[in-house]
Amino acid sequence: MAEAKKTATKTVRKTATVKKTAAKKAPVVAPKLNDATYATGKRKDSVARVYLMPGKGNIIVNGKPAAEYFRRAVLQMIIAQPFGVTKRETSYDIVAMVEGGGLSGQAGAVKHGISKALEKIEPELRASLKSAGFLTRDSRVVERKHYGFRKARRSTQFSKR
C-alpha cells in the first residue's frame, strides 16, 4: 500500500510539471521591418516601440489587432487620434510592441509613438501634431511610497488614546 501511494504522488508531480511548462508563453519577437519608420512613445511607466509603414490602416499591438488588445472603445479612440488630426486614417500600417504600466498608459504610449513616427515621415505634420499636444511626453508617474507613511502621502490614522 505504501508503494501505491509513492507512485501516485510521483505521477501527480509529473503531470503538474507538464502543466507548468505548457503555461509558459513565448516572448513577443520584434518583426523585421526594414522599410518602416521607428519611434518610441512613452507615458507613465509604459514604453511603446512603434513601426510605421505605408499600408491600409492596420494597427497591430503585441501581435494582436488593436481592437482585440485594447478592448475599450476609449483606448481605441486614443490610438486613432493622431491619424484623425492629420487626416491619414488609411495611409499607414502600424506594428507596436508595448510593455510596462496598464492599458491606459500603454494606449497613451502608442499614441505618442505614432505621432513621433508620423512627424519623422512627414515633417509638415509637426505643426498640427504639436498643437494637439501629441508630441509632448506625459511624464506623470506614480509617486514612490515614503518612509513612515501608508502610501506616498497618506499618513497613519491619528489616535488620541
Side-chain angles (χ1 to χ4, degrees), residues 109-150:
V110 171
K111 177 177 91 168
H112 186 227
I114 290 171
S115 302
K116 286 172 67 175
L118 276 171
E119 185 213 352
K120 278 185 183 177
I121 288 180
E122 300 181 42
E124 63 272 6
L125 298 177
R126 180 175 170 78
S128 60
L129 290 169
K130 185 77 173 170
S131 64
F134 297 156
L135 296 176
T136 306
R137 189 245 201 262
D138 189 359
S139 61
R140 294 176 292 171
V141 184
V142 177
E143 188 176 353
R144 76 172 188 87
K145 183 191 175 302
H146 296 106
Y147 176 76
F149 288 80
R150 283 178 47 199

Side-chain angles (χ1 to χ4, degrees), residues 49-118:
R49 295 175 290 159
V50 177
Y51 295 90
L52 191 78
M53 63 207 97
K56 298 177 182 174
N58 298 326
I59 301 175
I60 297 172
V61 181
N62 286 354
K64 297 179 183 178
E68 189 179 325
Y69 190 82
F70 296 111
R71 294 185 182 224
R72 290 190 306 199
V74 174
L75 300 179
Q76 294 172 21
M77 188 177 66
I78 287 172
I79 291 174
Q81 281 178 336
F83 295 117
V85 168
T86 58
K87 309 278 192 287
R88 304 281 194 279
E89 287 88 359
T90 58
S91 302
Y92 297 104
D93 284 344
I94 290 168
V95 176
M97 277 73 78
V98 196
E99 50 191 25
L103 286 177
S104 174
Q106 288 184 354
V110 171
K111 177 177 91 168
H112 186 227
I114 290 171
S115 302
K116 286 172 67 175
L118 276 171

